[in-house]
Amino acid sequence: QSVLTQPPSASGTPGQRVTISCSGSSSNIGINSGYWFQQLPGTAPKLLIYRDIQRPSGVPDRFSGSKSDTSTSLAISGLTSEDEADYYCAAWDDSVAGWVFGGGTKLTVV
Amino acid sequence: QVQLQQSGPGLVKPSQSLSLTCAISGDSVSNSNVVWNWIRQSPSRGLEWLGRTYYRSEWNRDYAVSVKSRITINPDTSKNQFSLQLNSVTPEDTAVYYCARDNNVRGNHIFDYWGQGTLVTVSS
């Protein structure tokens, strides 16, 4: 049971825009920044979004983050088959003094 | 270019200790702008942060509550690496273990470099 709650799956067609949600609480996303990672099969997670909305250098602007109260969201526009991956949200949780993650969302581009 | 190279056994017996090392190139384990983490991933537990070490005038270590009684993360400045030791392992500790750098410049947390991952199986 993950501390942050994500839908297990999401799907979209090429070119479409998809949004993945992540629900937390007042001890994590409510007072700390949200983070998003992309994980391709057999590889380590890759940071897509930090501090709710910031993109590390090299991450396309098709990926965007937002936050509202105790939830954060990742939007992916202009979907391509290369976006098929697992997506994880994360945040620092003050109640456990550690990083917590969502259970992951498997994105399928059909 | 920073690289993190993990090493350690892929099979550990129940009740024994799991030991992994993360060798750093292109950065220093003593860099006061970064934090060095261990994270694991399993089908049953998902992604789970285990702990971290970092240097800010002195060495600091933080551990996840779930493993706090069993875990030690140590920096090794002579070899520019850091290690994970997890004691009294059970099959529940079977997972892919990752080391990762958290680039903490300007208060941001940018997990920008990861090790290749090590599958550790706990089995007799």
Side-chain angles (χ1 to χ4, degrees), chain B:
Chain B
Q1 177 76 346
V2 176
Q3 289 188 327
L4 304 180
Q5 182 67 39
Q6 298 177 218
S7 60
L11 180 63
V12 181
K13 288 182 167 48
S15 80
Q16 295 191 343
S17 294
L18 176 163
S19 293
L20 296 173
T21 298
C22 184
I24 303 163
S25 58
D27 196 354
S28 169
V29 71
S30 304
N31 184 343
S32 59
N33 289 314
V34 304
V35 176
W36 304 100
N37 296 267
W38 283 101
I39 294 165
R40 69 181 178 183
Q41 184 174 31
S42 66
S44 60
R45 301 171 73 95
L47 280 168
E48 182 181 12
W49 177 80
L50 298 176
R52 64 186 184 176
T53 187
Y54 55 98
Y55 185 75
R56 302 288 186 271
S57 303
E58 62 181 5
W59 285 104
N60 297 271
R61 299 165 181 80
D62 299 313
Y63 300 129
V65 170
S66 60
V67 295
K68 196 166 190 173
S69 63
R70 304 191 288 133
I71 189 173
T72 303
I73 295 176
N74 278 328
D76 183 340
T77 56
S78 66
K79 295 181 179 178
N80 201 33
Q81 63 188 29
F82 64 109
S83 63
L84 166 70
Q85 181 173 316
L86 189 64
N87 300 325
S88 305
V89 298
T90 73
E92 278 277 297
D93 295 308
T94 294
V96 176
Y97 287 74
Y98 294 101
C99 57
R101 185 181 89 158
D102 170 4
N103 190 340
N104 206 207
V105 173
R106 292 188 293 277
N108 293 314
H109 294 283
I110 301 177
F111 287 80
D112 50 5
Y113 292 99
W114 294 66
Q116 78 275 24
T118 302
L119 173 60
V120 178
T121 302
V122 179
S123 174
S124 53

Side-chain angles (χ1 to χ4, degrees), chain A:
Chain A
Q1 190 88 2
S2 300
V3 174
L4 306 181
T5 302
Q6 300 178 235
S9 64
S11 64
T13 56
Q16 198 175 22
R17 184 177 188 268
V18 167
T19 300
I20 299 172
S21 63
C22 172
S23 176
S25 69
S26 58
S27 64
N28 43 66
I29 296 174
I31 53 172
N32 295 310
S33 298
Y35 294 74
W36 286 95
F37 295 85
Q38 177 194 61
Q39 188 175 31
L40 299 171
T43 69
K46 171 190 173 184
L47 184 67
L48 289 180
I49 299 290
Y50 67 98
R51 241 182 188 178
D52 301 323
I53 61 173
Q54 303 295 327
R55 281 186 308 276
S57 61
V59 174
D61 59 7
R62 301 189 298 107
F63 295 90
S64 62
S66 63
K67 176 177 162 179
S68 177
D69 294 330
T70 57
S71 293
T72 185
S73 295
L74 172 72
I76 310 171
S77 60
L79 270 181
T80 76
S81 59
E82 292 183 350
D83 298 328
E84 278 207 341
D86 294 325
Y87 292 85
Y88 295 88
C89 59
W92 180 265
D93 192 308
D94 283 8
S95 68
V96 297
W99 290 95
V100 293
F101 290 90
T105 298
K106 185 175 186 62
L107 175 64
T108 303
V109 180
V110 297

